[in-house]
């Protein structure tokens, strides 16, 4: 089965409307630049969750379209981030993960600073932020020993 990639899904959504990149720029009155949308769709540039939501609102599709359900839906119930190890990551993905973990911890008022349980929707959003499919995100977390299970 083909892995799901949110960036590819953005392209499919745009194409399903029959729009070119230039059409997006034109129909949005310049709010969404063709070059920027193209870079999101190629995963050359990470899209923030806020911008993804805004873009999908412009496309008039729900955010859930970036995370289609499959027979092999991934469950995050057994994943807990090791925040000590996350904070040691010195790359772009690590920085994204650190900001994500801090935001989730603050939202949940969970400031123990050692571990953070991931919920399935957390994994979906983290995958979007990292421009990876959910299985690829889990593989990244496991390979870099950032989760305990």
């Amino acid at each position: 089965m083909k892995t799901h990639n949110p960036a590819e899904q953005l392209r499919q959504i745009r194409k399903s409307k029959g729009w070119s990149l230039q059409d997006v720029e034109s129909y949005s009155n310049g709010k969404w630049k063709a070059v920027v949308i193209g870079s999101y769709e190629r995963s050359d540039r990470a899209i923030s969750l806020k911008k993804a939501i805004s873009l999908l609102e412009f496309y008039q599709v729900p955010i859930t379209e970036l995370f289609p359900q499959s027979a092999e839906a991934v469950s995050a119930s057994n994943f807990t981030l090791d925040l000590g190890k996350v904070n040691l990551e010195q790359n772009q993905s690590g920085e994204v993960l650190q900001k994500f973990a801090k935001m989730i911890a603050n939202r949940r008022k969970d400031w123990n600073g050692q571990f953070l349980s991931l919920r399935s929707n957390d994994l979906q959003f983290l995958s979007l932020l990292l421009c990876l499919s959910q299985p690829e995100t889990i593989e990244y977390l496991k390979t870099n020993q950032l989760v305990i299970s």
Side-chain angles (χ1 to χ4, degrees), residues 21-54:
L21 291 170
Q22 289 72 30
D23 289 336
V24 173
E25 185 167 343
S26 175
Y27 297 154
S28 70
N29 295 317
K31 175 181 179 181
W32 296 105
K33 303 294 184 199
V35 68
V36 173
I37 298 301
S39 66
Y40 291 151
E41 291 178 359
R42 290 186 306 276
S43 294
D44 291 341
R45 175 187 257 182
I47 186 170
S48 70
L49 183 57
K50 184 176 179 178
K51 286 185 180 182
I53 291 169
S54 180

Side-chain angles (χ1 to χ4, degrees), residues 121-141:
N121 61 339
D122 296 336
L123 185 61
Q124 291 174 343
F125 293 131
L126 181 57
S127 296
L128 176 64
L129 293 171
L130 293 173
C131 296
L132 299 171
S133 67
Q134 288 184 45
E136 290 168 334
T137 299
I138 290 171
E139 183 63 28
Y140 167 78
L141 295 173

Side-chain angles (χ1 to χ4, degrees), residues 40-126:
Y40 291 151
E41 291 178 359
R42 290 186 306 276
S43 294
D44 291 341
R45 175 187 257 182
I47 186 170
S48 70
L49 183 57
K50 184 176 179 178
K51 286 185 180 182
I53 291 169
S54 180
L55 179 59
L56 291 177
E57 285 174 350
F58 169 71
Y59 286 158
Q60 297 181 335
V61 296
I63 187 75
T64 54
E65 286 303 306
L66 285 182
F67 313 105
Q69 295 297 320
S70 70
E72 297 178 16
V74 179
S75 170
S77 61
N78 295 328
F79 291 100
T80 301
L81 287 177
D82 182 332
L83 297 178
K85 290 181 180 177
V86 166
N87 290 328
L88 295 175
E89 288 291 289
Q90 297 294 319
N91 55 39
Q92 184 177 3
S93 294
E95 290 176 17
V96 168
L97 191 53
Q98 290 164 19
K99 288 178 185 176
F100 171 81
K102 184 175 183 179
M103 180 197 69
I104 295 297
N106 286 339
R107 175 169 264 197
R108 293 183 189 165
K109 299 183 183 345
D110 178 1
W111 298 293
N112 78 21
Q114 296 177 2
F115 304 104
L116 182 68
S117 296
L118 291 181
R119 300 173 183 168
S120 59
N121 61 339
D122 296 336
L123 185 61
Q124 291 174 343
F125 293 131
L126 181 57

Side-chain angles (χ1 to χ4, degrees), residues 2-15:
K2 184 179 186 296
T3 60
H4 172 71
N5 181 326
E8 290 174 10
Q9 193 68 17
L10 284 174
R11 177 176 283 142
Q12 288 177 358
I13 291 168
R14 175 182 55 79
K15 287 188 172 197

